[in-house]
Amino acid sequence: MRTDIEGLIRQYDEQEAAELRSLVKIYETMKPKDAARILQELETKVLLSIMELMKERSSASVLAAMDAATARTVTTELARREVIDQPNG
């Protein structure tokens, strides 16, 4: 039973990741101004998840089109995630 539950959780996680990648592609194909307008209205957690997976060129254009407060929050939080993800060397 435990194996079944773990398999279902893994399947759910994979499906959720695929849906997030799909959203990222949608926002990357939008005009940066339009993507920024929509993204800055999302919950911070969702916004960061999308921005983190975007290509650098796309995320840079979107950040530039966001209001300064949102862009600052996104930049700060993404930098924190980078620090947390780095292994201690």
Side-chain angles (χ1 to χ4, degrees):
M1 185 171 186
R2 182 178 189 186
T3 305
D4 291 341
I5 292 172
E6 288 173 351
L8 289 172
I9 291 171
R10 193 172 19 263
Q11 182 180 2
Y12 175 81
D13 289 345
E14 290 170 2
Q15 182 180 354
E16 193 172 77
E19 290 173 3
L20 184 59
R21 285 191 302 273
S22 177
L23 278 175
V24 169
K25 286 181 184 180
I26 290 169
Y27 284 111
E28 284 182 329
T29 59
M30 296 173 83
K31 292 180 181 178
K33 183 176 85 171
D34 294 334
R37 181 177 43 81
I38 297 167
L39 287 170
Q40 65 188 17
E41 297 298 323
L42 297 177
E43 290 180 26
T44 303
K45 181 180 176 181
V46 176
L47 168 59
L48 292 172
S49 295
I50 292 170
M51 293 294 291
E52 191 171 43
L53 293 177
M54 289 178 85
K55 295 175 187 165
E56 287 180 10
R57 172 172 265 160
S58 297
S59 63
S61 298
V62 170
L63 274 174
M66 288 182 171
D67 65 63
T70 303
R72 182 174 45 253
T73 299
V74 169
T75 301
T76 302
E77 291 302 318
L78 288 176
R80 283 187 187 148
R81 285 184 178 196
E82 287 295 319
V83 169
I84 290 171
D85 290 342
Q86 289 181 359
N88 293 333

